[in-house]
Amino acid sequence: MLNYLWAGMILTGIIYAAVTGRIPDITNAAIDSSREAVTLCITMMGVISLWSGLMEIASRAGVIEIISGKLRPVLKFLYPELPPGHPAQKSIAANMIANFLGLGWAATPAGLKAMEELRELEDDRRAGRAAGPVRKKGIAGNEMCTFLIINISSLQLIPINVIAYRSQYGSPDPAAIVGAGILATAVSTGTAVIFCRIMDRRRRM
């Protein structure tokens, strides 16, 4: 659907430019946008590489494991049916930490691994190797849905990516977005948690 949407927007712009005699503007805009895209990618690559490297160091040093232990009450509240000590807990915690720091790109690998481990949990439940509700193959489990919603809402304490964007485009105070970002993501995450709890309660009724 998005492919058709973007194709339609591009085609509409080209047709409008042709009708109004502004084809050179389209060409200049394409060249300028390409240049900005490359510059932005280089900037973001440096930021993401730095923080992803720090996350990897923290993981190998056992810091992620320690933080996972501290987050265990939170994970237990969000995922009450997730077996204690399940490998998905560490991946979920790593994803949450990366999102706290506003590193959406760095959070993606941990998020994918968490979803893979949660899928394996569903397979174990269907095979009778793990406790919990059994669902048909191809239907996402409660933990998978909760994780996806929490990941999308993404509480951010330091929106590194947004700060980098603002710095790249000449903002006089790139970090001014921090307060608004915390408020907005706190509201979205709180709403997500309430929604998950309501849906979980309705499922059990």
Side-chain angles (χ1 to χ4, degrees):
M1 182 61 184
L2 286 177
N3 291 337
Y4 292 113
L5 179 61
W6 283 107
M9 292 172 61
I10 293 172
L11 185 60
T12 300
I14 293 174
I15 293 174
Y16 179 80
V19 171
T20 57
R22 302 178 64 180
I23 287 294
D25 292 341
I26 293 289
T27 304
N28 293 334
I31 294 174
D32 292 340
S33 297
S34 300
R35 185 187 307 113
E36 287 186 10
V38 172
T39 303
L40 179 61
C41 285
I42 293 174
T43 301
M44 295 306 299
M45 182 174 63
V47 174
I48 297 302
S49 297
L50 170 64
W51 286 96
S52 297
L54 290 176
M55 288 289 292
E56 181 65 22
I57 293 172
S59 178
R60 296 190 181 187
V63 175
I64 300 298
E65 191 74 31
I66 295 173
I67 296 177
S68 298
K70 300 295 184 182
L71 289 175
R72 191 167 289 119
V74 177
L75 297 179
K76 180 65 177 176
F77 172 74
L78 294 174
Y79 309 94
E81 296 175 344
L82 186 64
H86 193 274
Q89 288 185 344
K90 183 177 179 181
S91 299
I92 292 173
N95 176 268
M96 292 178 67
I97 294 168
N99 278 326
F100 286 161
L101 297 175
L103 301 170
W105 295 350
T108 299
L112 293 175
K113 186 169 181 59
M115 289 296 282
E116 181 180 349
E117 290 165 342
L118 292 175
R119 184 195 62 192
E120 293 175 356
L121 174 61
E122 292 299 313
D123 292 338
D124 290 341
R125 285 172 174 169
R126 281 189 289 270
R129 295 190 297 268
V134 179
R135 297 174 177 83
K136 294 181 180 179
K137 191 174 182 61
I139 297 178
N142 188 52
E143 293 87 0
M144 299 173 76
C145 294
T146 300
F147 175 72
L148 182 61
I149 294 171
I150 298 298
N151 183 63
I152 292 173
S153 65
S154 156
L155 174 63
Q156 294 183 7
L157 301 181
I158 309 174
I160 299 295
N161 287 352
V162 177
I163 292 174
Y165 285 134
R166 288 168 57 86
S167 176
Q168 173 65 28
Y169 288 106
S171 172
D173 187 7
I177 195 68
V178 171
I182 292 175
L183 178 61
T185 56
V187 171
S188 65
T189 302
T191 303
V193 171
I194 294 172
F195 174 79
C196 290
R197 293 294 88 204
I198 291 175
M199 296 303 296
D200 187 53
R201 181 172 297 180
R202 288 181 60 184
R203 181 182 63 82
R204 297 186 182 190
M205 291 177 62

